[in-house]
């Protein structure tokens, strides 16, 4: 729009204008320095880890969908292709719904942790069923795969936005480029690792009468461990939504948010509480 819609957008546009005017027109490789600055920003590493984990899980599952569906009893390639397409649709649909919810409530932390919990549960369901050679109904397999896409996929747009919030006023394009670069680089290493890991079975699960063998495949174990580790790292996230805070300074009626271990609080509510404390003190 010709007029920036928020105070943060106006400040960012003014900063970009000043940088253009101060430039000497020569090409400079500034991204490495910018990425280094982002990595040193408080609160940036957790959304980066969440983004990388999400894109890694979805890329690995997409790469091996055909083999997974064949083991589940699906033979026709057209059906397998349709299931793979459904997985991608689930990723997009989950992203639209949950990202829209987070955009209104700013519950980045709670929704991200819930998504990782859902992804862990669906992966565990499929992995344990394969290890015990349990024959799941095709509808259960498809539902679990779609649920995996709908839970793991939305982590990417949610944490891309969170990274922009905590690193404001850093350039949004640089933030997204850093996340995409890290995610794609990690996926390039993760896919062959999982391809190798799937040739191994880890026998450690408790025996079930009449079911054998008692194991879980290596690739599933790698993804489960990665999700669990990322969940633990993200659980400690605490950070101020700086862009929201800037919008509140420009518009007193705009409610901004901060995050801590207990959840989401509006800066307006915190300011009111401090004012009441000052009056009563």
């Amino acid at each position: 729009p010709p007029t920036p819609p928020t105070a943060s957008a106006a400040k960012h546009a003014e900063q970009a204008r000043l940088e253009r005017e101060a430039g000497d027109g020569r090409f400079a490789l500034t991204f490495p320095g910018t990425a280094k600055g982002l990595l040193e920003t408080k609160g940036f590493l957790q959304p980066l880890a969440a983004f990388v984990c999400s894109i890694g899980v979805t890329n690995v599952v997409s790469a091996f969908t055909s083999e997974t569906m064949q083991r589940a009893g699906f033979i026709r390639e057209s059906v397998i292709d349709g299931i793979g397409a459904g997985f991608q649709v689930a990723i997009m649909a989950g992203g639209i719904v949950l990202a829209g919810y987070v955009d209104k409530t700013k519950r980045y932390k709670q929704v991200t942790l819930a998504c990782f919990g859902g992804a862990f549960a669906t992966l565990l369901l499929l992995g344990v069923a394969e290890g015990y050679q349990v024959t799941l109904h095709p509808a259960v397999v498809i539902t679990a795969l779609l649920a995996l896409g709908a839970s793991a996929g939305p982590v990417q747009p949610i944490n891309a936005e969170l990274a922009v919030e905590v690193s404001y006023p850093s350039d949004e394009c640089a933030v997204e480029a850093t996340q995409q670069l890290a995610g794609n680089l990690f996926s390039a290493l993760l896919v062959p690792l999982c391809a190798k890991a799937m040739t191994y079975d880890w026998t450690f699960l408790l025996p079930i009468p009449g079911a054998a063998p008692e194991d879980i495949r290596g690739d599933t174990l790698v993804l489960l461990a990665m999700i669990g580790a990322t969940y633990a790292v993200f659980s400690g996230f605490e950070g101020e939504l700086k862009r929201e805070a800037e919008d509140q300074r420009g518009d007193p009626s705009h409610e901004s948010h901060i995050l801590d271990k207990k959840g989401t609080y509006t800066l307006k509510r915190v300011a009111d509480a401090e004012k009441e404390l000052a009056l009563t003190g």
Side-chain angles (χ1 to χ4, degrees), residues 175-201:
V175 172
E176 295 174 5
T178 301
Q179 289 188 315
Q180 285 290 344
L181 180 62
N184 291 333
L185 214 65
F186 182 76
S187 294
L189 300 174
L190 184 64
V191 171
L193 174 63
C194 287
K196 182 66 175 178
M198 72 168 50
T199 61
Y200 297 94
D201 289 328

PDB file of all heavy atoms in Angstrom, residues 175-201:
ATOM      1  N   VAL A 175      15.834 -12.737   7.108  1.00  0.00           N
ATOM      2  CA  VAL A 175      15.391 -13.724   8.097  1.00  0.00           C
ATOM      3  C   VAL A 175      14.890 -14.985   7.403  1.00  0.00           C
ATOM      4  O   VAL A 175      15.272 -16.112   7.750  1.00  0.00           O
ATOM      5  CB  VAL A 175      14.283 -13.126   8.992  1.00  0.00           C
ATOM      6  CG1 VAL A 175      13.684 -14.199   9.892  1.00  0.00           C
ATOM      7  CG2 VAL A 175      14.831 -11.981   9.830  1.00  0.00           C
ATOM      8  N   GLU A 176      14.017 -14.802   6.408  1.00  0.00           N
ATOM      9  CA  GLU A 176      13.467 -15.952   5.700  1.00  0.00           C
ATOM     10  C   GLU A 176      14.531 -16.694   4.902  1.00  0.00           C
ATOM     11  O   GLU A 176      14.524 -17.926   4.814  1.00  0.00           O
ATOM     12  CB  GLU A 176      12.326 -15.490   4.789  1.00  0.00           C
ATOM     13  CG  GLU A 176      11.127 -14.941   5.561  1.00  0.00           C
ATOM     14  CD  GLU A 176      10.066 -14.353   4.648  1.00  0.00           C
ATOM     15  OE1 GLU A 176      10.233 -14.464   3.413  1.00  0.00           O
ATOM     16  OE2 GLU A 176       9.087 -13.792   5.164  1.00  0.00           O
ATOM     17  N   ALA A 177      15.470 -15.943   4.322  1.00  0.00           N
ATOM     18  CA  ALA A 177      16.548 -16.585   3.563  1.00  0.00           C
ATOM     19  C   ALA A 177      17.430 -17.427   4.477  1.00  0.00           C
ATOM     20  O   ALA A 177      17.856 -18.532   4.112  1.00  0.00           O
ATOM     21  CB  ALA A 177      17.389 -15.519   2.858  1.00  0.00           C
ATOM     22  N   THR A 178      17.699 -16.929   5.684  1.00  0.00           N
ATOM     23  CA  THR A 178      18.510 -17.676   6.638  1.00  0.00           C
ATOM     24  C   THR A 178      17.825 -18.975   7.037  1.00  0.00           C
ATOM     25  O   THR A 178      18.450 -20.041   7.103  1.00  0.00           O
ATOM     26  CB  THR A 178      18.776 -16.824   7.898  1.00  0.00           C
ATOM     27  OG1 THR A 178      19.451 -15.615   7.517  1.00  0.00           O
ATOM     28  CG2 THR A 178      19.619 -17.575   8.900  1.00  0.00           C
ATOM     29  N   GLN A 179      16.527 -18.898   7.279  1.00  0.00           N
ATOM     30  CA  GLN A 179      15.788 -20.101   7.660  1.00  0.00           C
ATOM     31  C   GLN A 179      15.715 -21.101   6.513  1.00  0.00           C
ATOM     32  O   GLN A 179      15.911 -22.308   6.710  1.00  0.00           O
ATOM     33  CB  GLN A 179      14.377 -19.725   8.131  1.00  0.00           C
ATOM     34  CG  GLN A 179      14.350 -19.025   9.481  1.00  0.00           C
ATOM     35  CD  GLN A 179      12.938 -18.849   9.994  1.00  0.00           C
ATOM     36  OE1 GLN A 179      12.038 -18.443   9.250  1.00  0.00           O
ATOM     37  NE2 GLN A 179      12.726 -19.135  11.257  1.00  0.00           N
ATOM     38  N   GLN A 180      15.426 -20.616   5.315  1.00  0.00           N
ATOM     39  CA  GLN A 180      15.335 -21.511   4.162  1.00  0.00           C
ATOM     40  C   GLN A 180      16.676 -22.166   3.856  1.00  0.00           C
ATOM     41  O   GLN A 180      16.743 -23.362   3.558  1.00  0.00           O
ATOM     42  CB  GLN A 180      14.838 -20.737   2.940  1.00  0.00           C
ATOM     43  CG  GLN A 180      13.361 -20.400   2.952  1.00  0.00           C
ATOM     44  CD  GLN A 180      12.473 -21.626   2.778  1.00  0.00           C
ATOM     45  OE1 GLN A 180      12.930 -22.688   2.369  1.00  0.00           O
ATOM     46  NE2 GLN A 180      11.196 -21.476   3.080  1.00  0.00           N
ATOM     47  N   LEU A 181      17.741 -21.390   3.934  1.00  0.00           N
ATOM     48  CA  LEU A 181      19.066 -21.931   3.666  1.00  0.00           C
ATOM     49  C   LEU A 181      19.424 -23.016   4.675  1.00  0.00           C
ATOM     50  O   LEU A 181      19.894 -24.099   4.306  1.00  0.00           O
ATOM     51  CB  LEU A 181      20.107 -20.808   3.709  1.00  0.00           C
ATOM     52  CG  LEU A 181      21.567 -21.217   3.442  1.00  0.00           C
ATOM     53  CD1 LEU A 181      21.706 -21.790   2.040  1.00  0.00           C
ATOM     54  CD2 LEU A 181      22.504 -20.025   3.629  1.00  0.00           C
ATOM     55  N   ALA A 182      19.178 -22.740   5.954  1.00  0.00           N
ATOM     56  CA  ALA A 182      19.474 -23.723   6.992  1.00  0.00           C
ATOM     57  C   ALA A 182      18.598 -24.963   6.837  1.00  0.00           C
ATOM     58  O   ALA A 182      19.076 -26.101   6.971  1.00  0.00           O
ATOM     59  CB  ALA A 182      19.269 -23.100   8.372  1.00  0.00           C
ATOM     60  N   GLY A 183      17.318 -24.757   6.534  1.00  0.00           N
ATOM     61  CA  GLY A 183      16.402 -25.888   6.380  1.00  0.00           C
ATOM     62  C   GLY A 183      16.752 -26.768   5.201  1.00  0.00           C
ATOM     63  O   GLY A 183      16.763 -28.007   5.306  1.00  0.00           O
ATOM     64  N   ASN A 184      17.028 -26.170   4.056  1.00  0.00           N
ATOM     65  CA  ASN A 184      17.358 -26.958   2.865  1.00  0.00           C
ATOM     66  C   ASN A 184      18.699 -27.662   3.009  1.00  0.00           C
ATOM     67  O   ASN A 184      18.874 -28.799   2.553  1.00  0.00           O
ATOM     68  CB  ASN A 184      17.369 -26.047   1.631  1.00  0.00           C
ATOM     69  CG  ASN A 184      15.987 -25.548   1.269  1.00  0.00           C
ATOM     70  OD1 ASN A 184      14.990 -26.197   1.562  1.00  0.00           O
ATOM     71  ND2 ASN A 184      15.914 -24.389   0.649  1.00  0.00           N
ATOM     72  N   LEU A 185      19.658 -26.987   3.656  1.00  0.00           N
ATOM     73  CA  LEU A 185      20.967 -27.597   3.883  1.00  0.00           C
ATOM     74  C   LEU A 185      20.834 -28.807   4.801  1.00  0.00           C
ATOM     75  O   LEU A 185      21.415 -29.870   4.554  1.00  0.00           O
ATOM     76  CB  LEU A 185      21.914 -26.559   4.501  1.00  0.00           C
ATOM     77  CG  LEU A 185      23.387 -26.645   4.099  1.00  0.00           C
ATOM     78  CD1 LEU A 185      23.541 -26.361   2.620  1.00  0.00           C
ATOM     79  CD2 LEU A 185      24.217 -25.663   4.913  1.00  0.00           C
ATOM     80  N   PHE A 186      20.048 -28.634   5.864  1.00  0.00           N
ATOM     81  CA  PHE A 186      19.841 -29.727   6.813  1.00  0.00           C
ATOM     82  C   PHE A 186      19.107 -30.892   6.153  1.00  0.00           C
ATOM     83  O   PHE A 186      19.447 -32.063   6.377  1.00  0.00           O
ATOM     84  CB  PHE A 186      19.053 -29.221   8.017  1.00  0.00           C
ATOM     85  CG  PHE A 186      18.828 -30.257   9.076  1.00  0.00           C
ATOM     86  CD1 PHE A 186      19.860 -30.621   9.929  1.00  0.00           C
ATOM     87  CD2 PHE A 186      17.600 -30.863   9.220  1.00  0.00           C
ATOM     88  CE1 PHE A 186      19.659 -31.582  10.912  1.00  0.00           C
ATOM     89  CE2 PHE A 186      17.387 -31.823  10.199  1.00  0.00           C
ATOM     90  CZ  PHE A 186      18.416 -32.177  11.052  1.00  0.00           C
ATOM     91  N   SER A 187      18.099 -30.587   5.332  1.00  0.00           N
ATOM     92  CA  SER A 187      17.350 -31.640   4.643  1.00  0.00           C
ATOM     93  C   SER A 187      18.235 -32.424   3.684  1.00  0.00           C
ATOM     94  O   SER A 187      18.079 -33.644   3.531  1.00  0.00           O
ATOM     95  CB  SER A 187      16.168 -31.033   3.878  1.00  0.00           C
ATOM     96  OG  SER A 187      15.234 -30.478   4.766  1.00  0.00           O
ATOM     97  N   ALA A 188      19.154 -31.722   3.016  1.00  0.00           N
ATOM     98  CA  ALA A 188      20.063 -32.390   2.088  1.00  0.00           C
ATOM     99  C   ALA A 188      20.928 -33.422   2.804  1.00  0.00           C
ATOM    100  O   ALA A 188      21.332 -34.432   2.209  1.00  0.00           O
ATOM    101  CB  ALA A 188      20.946 -31.366   1.385  1.00  0.00           C
ATOM    102  N   LEU A 189      21.209 -33.187   4.078  1.00  0.00           N
ATOM    103  CA  LEU A 189      21.979 -34.150   4.868  1.00  0.00           C
ATOM    104  C   LEU A 189      21.079 -35.201   5.510  1.00  0.00           C
ATOM    105  O   LEU A 189      21.477 -36.364   5.669  1.00  0.00           O
ATOM    106  CB  LEU A 189      22.766 -33.416   5.963  1.00  0.00           C
ATOM    107  CG  LEU A 189      23.770 -32.365   5.489  1.00  0.00           C
ATOM    108  CD1 LEU A 189      24.357 -31.621   6.690  1.00  0.00           C
ATOM    109  CD2 LEU A 189      24.893 -33.009   4.677  1.00  0.00           C
ATOM    110  N   LEU A 190      19.861 -34.794   5.874  1.00  0.00           N
ATOM    111  CA  LEU A 190      18.956 -35.686   6.595  1.00  0.00           C
ATOM    112  C   LEU A 190      18.387 -36.793   5.717  1.00  0.00           C
ATOM    113  O   LEU A 190      18.254 -37.941   6.171  1.00  0.00           O
ATOM    114  CB  LEU A 190      17.812 -34.870   7.207  1.00  0.00           C
ATOM    115  CG  LEU A 190      16.815 -35.634   8.074  1.00  0.00           C
ATOM    116  CD1 LEU A 190      17.516 -36.194   9.314  1.00  0.00           C
ATOM    117  CD2 LEU A 190      15.667 -34.720   8.491  1.00  0.00           C
ATOM    118  N   VAL A 191      18.043 -36.484   4.469  1.00  0.00           N
ATOM    119  CA  VAL A 191      17.429 -37.493   3.594  1.00  0.00           C
ATOM    120  C   VAL A 191      18.343 -38.702   3.381  1.00  0.00           C
ATOM    121  O   VAL A 191      17.909 -39.844   3.577  1.00  0.00           O
ATOM    122  CB  VAL A 191      17.002 -36.855   2.250  1.00  0.00           C
ATOM    123  CG1 VAL A 191      16.581 -37.937   1.257  1.00  0.00           C
ATOM    124  CG2 VAL A 191      15.858 -35.866   2.465  1.00  0.00           C
ATOM    125  N   PRO A 192      19.606 -38.528   2.982  1.00  0.00           N
ATOM    126  CA  PRO A 192      20.468 -39.710   2.847  1.00  0.00           C
ATOM    127  C   PRO A 192      20.725 -40.410   4.176  1.00  0.00           C
ATOM    128  O   PRO A 192      20.897 -41.638   4.208  1.00  0.00           O
ATOM    129  CB  PRO A 192      21.762 -39.148   2.251  1.00  0.00           C
ATOM    130  CG  PRO A 192      21.735 -37.686   2.504  1.00  0.00           C
ATOM    131  CD  PRO A 192      20.303 -37.301   2.525  1.00  0.00           C
ATOM    132  N   LEU A 193      20.752 -39.662   5.264  1.00  0.00           N
ATOM    133  CA  LEU A 193      20.931 -40.286   6.579  1.00  0.00           C
ATOM    134  C   LEU A 193      19.759 -41.209   6.894  1.00  0.00           C
ATOM    135  O   LEU A 193      19.953 -42.345   7.358  1.00  0.00           O
ATOM    136  CB  LEU A 193      21.053 -39.206   7.655  1.00  0.00           C
ATOM    137  CG  LEU A 193      21.098 -39.703   9.106  1.00  0.00           C
ATOM    138  CD1 LEU A 193      22.326 -40.564   9.343  1.00  0.00           C
ATOM    139  CD2 LEU A 193      21.068 -38.532  10.078  1.00  0.00           C
ATOM    140  N   CYS A 194      18.550 -40.749   6.635  1.00  0.00           N
ATOM    141  CA  CYS A 194      17.366 -41.577   6.882  1.00  0.00           C
ATOM    142  C   CYS A 194      17.289 -42.741   5.907  1.00  0.00           C
ATOM    143  O   CYS A 194      16.808 -43.823   6.261  1.00  0.00           O
ATOM    144  CB  CYS A 194      16.102 -40.718   6.796  1.00  0.00           C
ATOM    145  SG  CYS A 194      15.884 -39.603   8.203  1.00  0.00           S
ATOM    146  N   ALA A 195      17.752 -42.532   4.670  1.00  0.00           N
ATOM    147  CA  ALA A 195      17.779 -43.626   3.698  1.00  0.00           C
ATOM    148  C   ALA A 195      18.682 -44.755   4.182  1.00  0.00           C
ATOM    149  O   ALA A 195      18.387 -45.945   3.997  1.00  0.00           O
ATOM    150  CB  ALA A 195      18.246 -43.112   2.346  1.00  0.00           C
ATOM    151  N   LYS A 196      19.792 -44.382   4.807  1.00  0.00           N
ATOM    152  CA  LYS A 196      20.690 -45.386   5.371  1.00  0.00           C
ATOM    153  C   LYS A 196      20.102 -45.989   6.631  1.00  0.00           C
ATOM    154  O   LYS A 196      20.197 -47.208   6.867  1.00  0.00           O
ATOM    155  CB  LYS A 196      22.045 -44.731   5.672  1.00  0.00           C
ATOM    156  CG  LYS A 196      23.101 -45.683   6.219  1.00  0.00           C
ATOM    157  CD  LYS A 196      23.498 -46.718   5.187  1.00  0.00           C
ATOM    158  CE  LYS A 196      24.636 -47.585   5.707  1.00  0.00           C
ATOM    159  NZ  LYS A 196      25.026 -48.639   4.725  1.00  0.00           N
ATOM    160  N   ALA A 197      19.498 -45.160   7.466  1.00  0.00           N
ATOM    161  CA  ALA A 197      18.959 -45.628   8.742  1.00  0.00           C
ATOM    162  C   ALA A 197      17.796 -46.589   8.559  1.00  0.00           C
ATOM    163  O   ALA A 197      17.574 -47.467   9.411  1.00  0.00           O
ATOM    164  CB  ALA A 197      18.521 -44.437   9.591  1.00  0.00           C
ATOM    165  N   MET A 198      17.046 -46.459   7.466  1.00  0.00           N
ATOM    166  CA  MET A 198      15.893 -47.330   7.282  1.00  0.00           C
ATOM    167  C   MET A 198      16.292 -48.792   7.025  1.00  0.00           C
ATOM    168  O   MET A 198      15.451 -49.682   7.066  1.00  0.00           O
ATOM    169  CB  MET A 198      15.001 -46.813   6.149  1.00  0.00           C
ATOM    170  CG  MET A 198      15.561 -46.986   4.759  1.00  0.00           C
ATOM    171  SD  MET A 198      14.337 -46.671   3.453  1.00  0.00           S
ATOM    172  CE  MET A 198      13.658 -45.107   3.928  1.00  0.00           C
ATOM    173  N   THR A 199      17.552 -49.052   6.761  1.00  0.00           N
ATOM    174  CA  THR A 199      18.008 -50.434   6.556  1.00  0.00           C
ATOM    175  C   THR A 199      18.289 -51.130   7.888  1.00  0.00           C
ATOM    176  O   THR A 199      18.618 -52.318   7.910  1.00  0.00           O
ATOM    177  CB  THR A 199      19.289 -50.452   5.707  1.00  0.00           C
ATOM    178  OG1 THR A 199      20.330 -49.734   6.388  1.00  0.00           O
ATOM    179  CG2 THR A 199      19.037 -49.794   4.356  1.00  0.00           C
ATOM    180  N   TYR A 200      18.172 -50.385   8.992  1.00  0.00           N
ATOM    181  CA  TYR A 200      18.434 -50.956  10.317  1.00  0.00           C
ATOM    182  C   TYR A 200      17.152 -50.998  11.135  1.00  0.00           C
ATOM    183  O   TYR A 200      16.304 -50.109  11.036  1.00  0.00           O
ATOM    184  CB  TYR A 200      19.480 -50.139  11.069  1.00  0.00           C
ATOM    185  CG  TYR A 200      20.833 -50.126  10.408  1.00  0.00           C
ATOM    186  CD1 TYR A 200      21.187 -49.099   9.533  1.00  0.00           C
ATOM    187  CD2 TYR A 200      21.763 -51.142  10.643  1.00  0.00           C
ATOM    188  CE1 TYR A 200      22.429 -49.076   8.923  1.00  0.00           C
ATOM    189  CE2 TYR A 200      23.003 -51.132  10.028  1.00  0.00           C
ATOM    190  CZ  TYR A 200      23.331 -50.092   9.170  1.00  0.00           C
ATOM    191  OH  TYR A 200      24.554 -50.076   8.556  1.00  0.00           O
ATOM    192  N   ASP A 201      17.036 -52.037  11.948  1.00  0.00           N
ATOM    193  CA  ASP A 201      15.934 -52.151  12.895  1.00  0.00           C
ATOM    194  C   ASP A 201      16.502 -52.103  14.307  1.00  0.00           C
ATOM    195  O   ASP A 201      17.493 -52.783  14.607  1.00  0.00           O
ATOM    196  CB  ASP A 201      15.162 -53.469  12.707  1.00  0.00           C
ATOM    197  CG  ASP A 201      14.355 -53.466  11.422  1.00  0.00           C
ATOM    198  OD1 ASP A 201      13.893 -52.392  11.030  1.00  0.00           O
ATOM    199  OD2 ASP A 201      14.196 -54.544  10.815  1.00  0.00           O
TER     200      ASP A 201
END
